mmCIF file with all atom_site columns, all heavy atoms in Angstrom:
data_model
loop_
_atom_site.group_PDB
_atom_site.id
_atom_site.type_symbol
_atom_site.label_atom_id
_atom_site.label_alt_id
_atom_site.label_comp_id
_atom_site.label_asym_id
_atom_site.label_entity_id
_atom_site.label_seq_id
_atom_site.pdbx_PDB_ins_code
_atom_site.Cartn_x
_atom_site.Cartn_y
_atom_site.Cartn_z
_atom_site.occupancy
_atom_site.B_iso_or_equiv
_atom_site.pdbx_formal_charge
_atom_site.auth_seq_id
_atom_site.auth_comp_id
_atom_site.auth_asym_id
_atom_site.auth_atom_id
_atom_site.pdbx_PDB_model_num
ATOM 1   N N   . TYR A 1 114 ? 7.779  -30.001 15.611 1.00 98.00 ? 114 TYR A N   1
ATOM 2   C CA  . TYR A 1 114 ? 7.290  -30.452 16.917 1.00 98.00 ? 114 TYR A CA  1
ATOM 3   C C   . TYR A 1 114 ? 5.842  -30.031 17.111 1.00 98.00 ? 114 TYR A C   1
ATOM 4   O O   . TYR A 1 114 ? 5.368  -29.104 16.462 1.00 98.00 ? 114 TYR A O   1
ATOM 5   C CB  . TYR A 1 114 ? 8.124  -29.831 18.048 1.00 98.00 ? 114 TYR A CB  1
ATOM 6   C CG  . TYR A 1 114 ? 9.609  -30.048 17.903 1.00 98.00 ? 114 TYR A CG  1
ATOM 7   C CD1 . TYR A 1 114 ? 10.419 -29.089 17.294 1.00 98.00 ? 114 TYR A CD1 1
ATOM 8   C CD2 . TYR A 1 114 ? 10.202 -31.224 18.354 1.00 98.00 ? 114 TYR A CD2 1
ATOM 9   C CE1 . TYR A 1 114 ? 11.787 -29.295 17.141 1.00 98.00 ? 114 TYR A CE1 1
ATOM 10  C CE2 . TYR A 1 114 ? 11.568 -31.441 18.219 1.00 98.00 ? 114 TYR A CE2 1
ATOM 11  C CZ  . TYR A 1 114 ? 12.352 -30.466 17.609 1.00 98.00 ? 114 TYR A CZ  1
ATOM 12  O OH  . TYR A 1 114 ? 13.696 -30.671 17.459 1.00 98.00 ? 114 TYR A OH  1
ATOM 13  N N   . ASP A 1 115 ? 5.175  -30.682 18.052 1.00 98.00 ? 115 ASP A N   1
ATOM 14  C CA  . ASP A 1 115 ? 3.870  -30.213 18.508 1.00 98.00 ? 115 ASP A CA  1
ATOM 15  C C   . ASP A 1 115 ? 4.050  -29.550 19.868 1.00 98.00 ? 115 ASP A C   1
ATOM 16  O O   . ASP A 1 115 ? 4.969  -29.904 20.617 1.00 98.00 ? 115 ASP A O   1
ATOM 17  C CB  . ASP A 1 115 ? 2.885  -31.383 18.620 1.00 98.00 ? 115 ASP A CB  1
ATOM 18  C CG  . ASP A 1 115 ? 2.346  -31.799 17.256 1.00 98.00 ? 115 ASP A CG  1
ATOM 19  O OD1 . ASP A 1 115 ? 2.504  -31.017 16.296 1.00 98.00 ? 115 ASP A OD1 1
ATOM 20  O OD2 . ASP A 1 115 ? 1.804  -32.913 17.149 1.00 98.00 ? 115 ASP A OD2 1
ATOM 21  N N   . PHE A 1 116 ? 3.160  -28.610 20.169 1.00 98.00 ? 116 PHE A N   1
ATOM 22  C CA  . PHE A 1 116 ? 3.224  -27.909 21.441 1.00 98.00 ? 116 PHE A CA  1
ATOM 23  C C   . PHE A 1 116 ? 1.891  -28.005 22.184 1.00 98.00 ? 116 PHE A C   1
ATOM 24  O O   . PHE A 1 116 ? 0.830  -28.091 21.566 1.00 98.00 ? 116 PHE A O   1
ATOM 25  C CB  . PHE A 1 116 ? 3.553  -26.432 21.223 1.00 98.00 ? 116 PHE A CB  1
ATOM 26  C CG  . PHE A 1 116 ? 5.006  -26.182 20.885 1.00 98.00 ? 116 PHE A CG  1
ATOM 27  C CD1 . PHE A 1 116 ? 5.428  -26.159 19.565 1.00 98.00 ? 116 PHE A CD1 1
ATOM 28  C CD2 . PHE A 1 116 ? 5.942  -25.986 21.889 1.00 98.00 ? 116 PHE A CD2 1
ATOM 29  C CE1 . PHE A 1 116 ? 6.764  -25.948 19.254 1.00 98.00 ? 116 PHE A CE1 1
ATOM 30  C CE2 . PHE A 1 116 ? 7.277  -25.768 21.585 1.00 98.00 ? 116 PHE A CE2 1
ATOM 31  C CZ  . PHE A 1 116 ? 7.691  -25.746 20.266 1.00 98.00 ? 116 PHE A CZ  1
ATOM 32  N N   . SER A 1 117 ? 1.983  -27.908 23.513 1.00 98.00 ? 117 SER A N   1
ATOM 33  C CA  . SER A 1 117 ? 0.781  -27.821 24.341 1.00 98.00 ? 117 SER A CA  1
ATOM 34  C C   . SER A 1 117 ? 0.157  -26.436 24.158 1.00 98.00 ? 117 SER A C   1
ATOM 35  O O   . SER A 1 117 ? 0.717  -25.588 23.468 1.00 98.00 ? 117 SER A O   1
ATOM 36  C CB  . SER A 1 117 ? 1.160  -28.009 25.814 1.00 98.00 ? 117 SER A CB  1
ATOM 37  O OG  . SER A 1 117 ? 1.904  -26.880 26.267 1.00 98.00 ? 117 SER A OG  1
ATOM 38  N N   . ILE A 1 118 ? -0.953 -26.211 24.841 1.00 98.00 ? 118 ILE A N   1
ATOM 39  C CA  . ILE A 1 118 ? -1.477 -24.856 24.933 1.00 98.00 ? 118 ILE A CA  1
ATOM 40  C C   . ILE A 1 118 ? -0.435 -24.007 25.676 1.00 98.00 ? 118 ILE A C   1
ATOM 41  O O   . ILE A 1 118 ? 0.386  -24.537 26.417 1.00 98.00 ? 118 ILE A O   1
ATOM 42  C CB  . ILE A 1 118 ? -2.843 -24.816 25.681 1.00 98.00 ? 118 ILE A CB  1
ATOM 43  C CG1 . ILE A 1 118 ? -2.723 -25.426 27.094 1.00 98.00 ? 118 ILE A CG1 1
ATOM 44  C CG2 . ILE A 1 118 ? -3.913 -25.520 24.876 1.00 98.00 ? 118 ILE A CG2 1
ATOM 45  C CD1 . ILE A 1 118 ? -3.919 -25.121 27.994 1.00 98.00 ? 118 ILE A CD1 1
ATOM 46  N N   . PRO A 1 119 ? -0.422 -22.675 25.475 1.00 98.00 ? 119 PRO A N   1
ATOM 47  C CA  . PRO A 1 119 ? 0.587  -21.832 26.115 1.00 98.00 ? 119 PRO A CA  1
ATOM 48  C C   . PRO A 1 119 ? 0.424  -21.780 27.635 1.00 98.00 ? 119 PRO A C   1
ATOM 49  O O   . PRO A 1 119 ? -0.697 -21.832 28.132 1.00 98.00 ? 119 PRO A O   1
ATOM 50  C CB  . PRO A 1 119 ? 0.354  -20.453 25.503 1.00 98.00 ? 119 PRO A CB  1
ATOM 51  C CG  . PRO A 1 119 ? -1.016 -20.490 24.940 1.00 98.00 ? 119 PRO A CG  1
ATOM 52  C CD  . PRO A 1 119 ? -1.315 -21.913 24.586 1.00 98.00 ? 119 PRO A CD  1
ATOM 53  N N   . TYR A 1 120 ? 1.550  -21.711 28.341 1.00 98.00 ? 120 TYR A N   1
ATOM 54  C CA  . TYR A 1 120 ? 1.462  -21.650 29.811 1.00 98.00 ? 120 TYR A CA  1
ATOM 55  C C   . TYR A 1 120 ? 2.202  -20.465 30.430 1.00 98.00 ? 120 TYR A C   1
ATOM 56  O O   . TYR A 1 120 ? 2.128  -20.266 31.638 1.00 98.00 ? 120 TYR A O   1
ATOM 57  C CB  . TYR A 1 120 ? 1.933  -22.958 30.448 1.00 98.00 ? 120 TYR A CB  1
ATOM 58  C CG  . TYR A 1 120 ? 3.437  -23.222 30.351 1.00 98.00 ? 120 TYR A CG  1
ATOM 59  C CD1 . TYR A 1 120 ? 4.320  -22.697 31.280 1.00 98.00 ? 120 TYR A CD1 1
ATOM 60  C CD2 . TYR A 1 120 ? 3.957  -24.017 29.328 1.00 98.00 ? 120 TYR A CD2 1
ATOM 61  C CE1 . TYR A 1 120 ? 5.685  -22.949 31.206 1.00 98.00 ? 120 TYR A CE1 1
ATOM 62  C CE2 . TYR A 1 120 ? 5.316  -24.278 29.247 1.00 98.00 ? 120 TYR A CE2 1
ATOM 63  C CZ  . TYR A 1 120 ? 6.180  -23.736 30.184 1.00 98.00 ? 120 TYR A CZ  1
ATOM 64  O OH  . TYR A 1 120 ? 7.537  -23.981 30.112 1.00 98.00 ? 120 TYR A OH  1
ATOM 65  N N   . PHE A 1 121 ? 2.912  -19.675 29.593 1.00 98.00 ? 121 PHE A N   1
ATOM 66  C CA  . PHE A 1 121 ? 3.645  -18.546 30.180 1.00 98.00 ? 121 PHE A CA  1
ATOM 67  C C   . PHE A 1 121 ? 3.924  -17.515 29.096 1.00 98.00 ? 121 PHE A C   1
ATOM 68  O O   . PHE A 1 121 ? 4.342  -17.870 28.002 1.00 98.00 ? 121 PHE A O   1
ATOM 69  C CB  . PHE A 1 121 ? 4.975  -19.034 30.777 1.00 98.00 ? 121 PHE A CB  1
ATOM 70  C CG  . PHE A 1 121 ? 5.638  -18.034 31.689 1.00 98.00 ? 121 PHE A CG  1
ATOM 71  C CD1 . PHE A 1 121 ? 5.367  -18.045 33.048 1.00 98.00 ? 121 PHE A CD1 1
ATOM 72  C CD2 . PHE A 1 121 ? 6.508  -17.077 31.186 1.00 98.00 ? 121 PHE A CD2 1
ATOM 73  C CE1 . PHE A 1 121 ? 5.966  -17.117 33.897 1.00 98.00 ? 121 PHE A CE1 1
ATOM 74  C CE2 . PHE A 1 121 ? 7.106  -16.144 32.022 1.00 98.00 ? 121 PHE A CE2 1
ATOM 75  C CZ  . PHE A 1 121 ? 6.831  -16.162 33.379 1.00 98.00 ? 121 PHE A CZ  1
ATOM 76  N N   . GLU A 1 122 ? 3.667  -16.244 29.423 1.00 97.00 ? 122 GLU A N   1
ATOM 77  C CA  . GLU A 1 122 ? 3.972  -15.176 28.460 1.00 97.00 ? 122 GLU A CA  1
ATOM 78  C C   . GLU A 1 122 ? 5.334  -14.582 28.795 1.00 97.00 ? 122 GLU A C   1
ATOM 79  O O   . GLU A 1 122 ? 5.631  -14.284 29.953 1.00 97.00 ? 122 GLU A O   1
ATOM 80  C CB  . GLU A 1 122 ? 2.912  -14.079 28.519 1.00 97.00 ? 122 GLU A CB  1
ATOM 81  C CG  . GLU A 1 122 ? 3.145  -13.002 27.462 1.00 97.00 ? 122 GLU A CG  1
ATOM 82  C CD  . GLU A 1 122 ? 2.029  -11.975 27.390 1.00 97.00 ? 122 GLU A CD  1
ATOM 83  O OE1 . GLU A 1 122 ? 1.075  -12.057 28.204 1.00 97.00 ? 122 GLU A OE1 1
ATOM 84  O OE2 . GLU A 1 122 ? 2.122  -11.096 26.524 1.00 97.00 ? 122 GLU A OE2 1
ATOM 85  N N   . SER A 1 123 ? 6.141  -14.406 27.764 1.00 98.00 ? 123 SER A N   1
ATOM 86  C CA  . SER A 1 123 ? 7.512  -13.920 27.965 1.00 98.00 ? 123 SER A CA  1
ATOM 87  C C   . SER A 1 123 ? 7.861  -12.875 26.909 1.00 98.00 ? 123 SER A C   1
ATOM 88  O O   . SER A 1 123 ? 7.168  -12.741 25.900 1.00 98.00 ? 123 SER A O   1
ATOM 89  C CB  . SER A 1 123 ? 8.470  -15.118 27.849 1.00 98.00 ? 123 SER A CB  1
ATOM 90  O OG  . SER A 1 123 ? 9.808  -14.710 27.899 1.00 98.00 ? 123 SER A OG  1
ATOM 91  N N   . THR A 1 124 ? 8.916  -12.127 27.169 1.00 98.00 ? 124 THR A N   1
ATOM 92  C CA  . THR A 1 124 ? 9.503  -11.273 26.139 1.00 98.00 ? 124 THR A CA  1
ATOM 93  C C   . THR A 1 124 ? 11.004 -11.253 26.430 1.00 98.00 ? 124 THR A C   1
ATOM 94  O O   . THR A 1 124 ? 11.450 -11.909 27.370 1.00 98.00 ? 124 THR A O   1
ATOM 95  C CB  . THR A 1 124 ? 8.881  -9.857  26.173 1.00 98.00 ? 124 THR A CB  1
ATOM 96  O OG1 . THR A 1 124 ? 9.420  -9.098  25.077 1.00 98.00 ? 124 THR A OG1 1
ATOM 97  C CG2 . THR A 1 124 ? 9.189  -9.134  27.467 1.00 98.00 ? 124 THR A CG2 1
ATOM 98  N N   . HIS A 1 125 ? 11.771 -10.534 25.612 1.00 98.00 ? 125 HIS A N   1
ATOM 99  C CA  . HIS A 1 125 ? 13.209 -10.520 25.870 1.00 98.00 ? 125 HIS A CA  1
ATOM 100 C C   . HIS A 1 125 ? 13.632 -9.282  26.641 1.00 98.00 ? 125 HIS A C   1
ATOM 101 O O   . HIS A 1 125 ? 12.948 -8.257  26.613 1.00 98.00 ? 125 HIS A O   1
ATOM 102 C CB  . HIS A 1 125 ? 13.982 -10.643 24.553 1.00 98.00 ? 125 HIS A CB  1
ATOM 103 C CG  . HIS A 1 125 ? 13.868 -12.007 23.967 1.00 98.00 ? 125 HIS A CG  1
ATOM 104 N ND1 . HIS A 1 125 ? 13.078 -12.282 22.878 1.00 98.00 ? 125 HIS A ND1 1
ATOM 105 C CD2 . HIS A 1 125 ? 14.387 -13.183 24.372 1.00 98.00 ? 125 HIS A CD2 1
ATOM 106 C CE1 . HIS A 1 125 ? 13.139 -13.579 22.633 1.00 98.00 ? 125 HIS A CE1 1
ATOM 107 N NE2 . HIS A 1 125 ? 13.914 -14.148 23.514 1.00 98.00 ? 125 HIS A NE2 1
ATOM 108 N N   . MET A 1 126 ? 14.766 -9.421  27.318 1.00 98.00 ? 126 MET A N   1
ATOM 109 C CA  . MET A 1 126 ? 15.379 -8.278  27.988 1.00 98.00 ? 126 MET A CA  1
ATOM 110 C C   . MET A 1 126 ? 16.868 -8.304  27.691 1.00 98.00 ? 126 MET A C   1
ATOM 111 O O   . MET A 1 126 ? 17.425 -9.349  27.323 1.00 98.00 ? 126 MET A O   1
ATOM 112 C CB  . MET A 1 126 ? 15.139 -8.339  29.496 1.00 98.00 ? 126 MET A CB  1
ATOM 113 C CG  . MET A 1 126 ? 13.823 -7.722  29.919 1.00 98.00 ? 126 MET A CG  1
ATOM 114 S SD  . MET A 1 126 ? 13.622 -7.806  31.701 1.00 98.00 ? 126 MET A SD  1
ATOM 115 C CE  . MET A 1 126 ? 13.569 -6.098  32.096 1.00 98.00 ? 126 MET A CE  1
ATOM 116 N N   . ILE A 1 127 ? 17.500 -7.143  27.874 1.00 98.00 ? 127 ILE A N   1
ATOM 117 C CA  . ILE A 1 127 ? 18.936 -7.032  27.624 1.00 98.00 ? 127 ILE A CA  1
ATOM 118 C C   . ILE A 1 127 ? 19.654 -6.895  28.960 1.00 98.00 ? 127 ILE A C   1
ATOM 119 O O   . ILE A 1 127 ? 19.341 -5.996  29.748 1.00 98.00 ? 127 ILE A O   1
ATOM 120 C CB  . ILE A 1 127 ? 19.244 -5.776  26.775 1.00 98.00 ? 127 ILE A CB  1
ATOM 121 C CG1 . ILE A 1 127 ? 18.340 -5.738  25.538 1.00 98.00 ? 127 ILE A CG1 1
ATOM 122 C CG2 . ILE A 1 127 ? 20.706 -5.722  26.387 1.00 98.00 ? 127 ILE A CG2 1
ATOM 123 C CD1 . ILE A 1 127 ? 18.263 -4.356  24.891 1.00 98.00 ? 127 ILE A CD1 1
ATOM 124 N N   . LEU A 1 128 ? 20.580 -7.776  29.209 1.00 98.00 ? 128 LEU A N   1
ATOM 125 C CA  . LEU A 1 128 ? 21.428 -7.637  30.403 1.00 98.00 ? 128 LEU A CA  1
ATOM 126 C C   . LEU A 1 128 ? 22.697 -6.897  30.010 1.00 98.00 ? 128 LEU A C   1
ATOM 127 O O   . LEU A 1 128 ? 23.343 -7.245  29.014 1.00 98.00 ? 128 LEU A O   1
ATOM 128 C CB  . LEU A 1 128 ? 21.792 -9.012  30.962 1.00 98.00 ? 128 LEU A CB  1
ATOM 129 C CG  . LEU A 1 128 ? 20.702 -9.767  31.720 1.00 98.00 ? 128 LEU A CG  1
ATOM 130 C CD1 . LEU A 1 128 ? 21.145 -11.208 31.989 1.00 98.00 ? 128 LEU A CD1 1
ATOM 131 C CD2 . LEU A 1 128 ? 20.349 -9.060  33.028 1.00 98.00 ? 128 LEU A CD2 1
ATOM 132 N N   . VAL A 1 129 ? 23.037 -5.853  30.757 1.00 98.00 ? 129 VAL A N   1
ATOM 133 C CA  . VAL A 1 129 ? 24.290 -5.101  30.527 1.00 98.00 ? 129 VAL A CA  1
ATOM 134 C C   . VAL A 1 129 ? 24.938 -4.811  31.884 1.00 98.00 ? 129 VAL A C   1
ATOM 135 O O   . VAL A 1 129 ? 24.280 -4.900  32.921 1.00 98.00 ? 129 VAL A O   1
ATOM 136 C CB  . VAL A 1 129 ? 24.036 -3.745  29.811 1.00 98.00 ? 129 VAL A CB  1
ATOM 137 C CG1 . VAL A 1 129 ? 23.529 -3.973  28.395 1.00 98.00 ? 129 VAL A CG1 1
ATOM 138 C CG2 . VAL A 1 129 ? 23.065 -2.872  30.608 1.00 98.00 ? 129 VAL A CG2 1
ATOM 139 N N   . LYS A 1 130 ? 26.202 -4.461  31.847 1.00 98.00 ? 130 LYS A N   1
ATOM 140 C CA  . LYS A 1 130 ? 26.872 -4.007  33.063 1.00 98.00 ? 130 LYS A CA  1
ATOM 141 C C   . LYS A 1 130 ? 26.342 -2.623  33.414 1.00 98.00 ? 130 LYS A C   1
ATOM 142 O O   . LYS A 1 130 ? 26.008 -1.826  32.524 1.00 98.00 ? 130 LYS A O   1
ATOM 143 C CB  . LYS A 1 130 ? 28.382 -3.906  32.792 1.00 98.00 ? 130 LYS A CB  1
ATOM 144 C CG  . LYS A 1 130 ? 29.091 -5.240  32.755 1.00 98.00 ? 130 LYS A CG  1
ATOM 145 C CD  . LYS A 1 130 ? 29.682 -5.543  34.130 1.00 98.00 ? 130 LYS A CD  1
ATOM 146 C CE  . LYS A 1 130 ? 30.658 -6.677  34.140 1.00 98.00 ? 130 LYS A CE  1
ATOM 147 N NZ  . LYS A 1 130 ? 32.042 -6.323  33.886 1.00 98.00 ? 130 LYS A NZ  1
ATOM 148 N N   . GLU A 1 131 ? 26.260 -2.317  34.696 1.00 97.00 ? 131 GLU A N   1
ATOM 149 C CA  . GLU A 1 131 ? 25.877 -0.966  35.105 1.00 97.00 ? 131 GLU A CA  1
ATOM 150 C C   . GLU A 1 131 ? 26.827 0.040   34.461 1.00 97.00 ? 131 GLU A C   1
ATOM 151 O O   . GLU A 1 131 ? 28.014 -0.217  34.347 1.00 97.00 ? 131 GLU A O   1
ATOM 152 C CB  . GLU A 1 131 ? 25.921 -0.860  36.631 1.00 97.00 ? 131 GLU A CB  1
ATOM 153 C CG  . GLU A 1 131 ? 24.645 -1.390  37.266 1.00 97.00 ? 131 GLU A CG  1
ATOM 154 C CD  . GLU A 1 131 ? 24.735 -1.509  38.774 1.00 97.00 ? 131 GLU A CD  1
ATOM 155 O OE1 . GLU A 1 131 ? 25.618 -0.865  39.369 1.00 97.00 ? 131 GLU A OE1 1
ATOM 156 O OE2 . GLU A 1 131 ? 23.928 -2.267  39.330 1.00 97.00 ? 131 GLU A OE2 1
#
Side-chain angles (χ1 to χ4, degrees):
Y114 307 95
D115 282 345
F116 284 91
S117 69
I118 57 166
Y120 70 85
F121 194 91
E122 184 174 3
S123 174
T124 184
H125 289 105
M126 274 181 117
I127 310 162
L128 285 170
V129 294
K130 284 265 193 89
E131 277 171 19

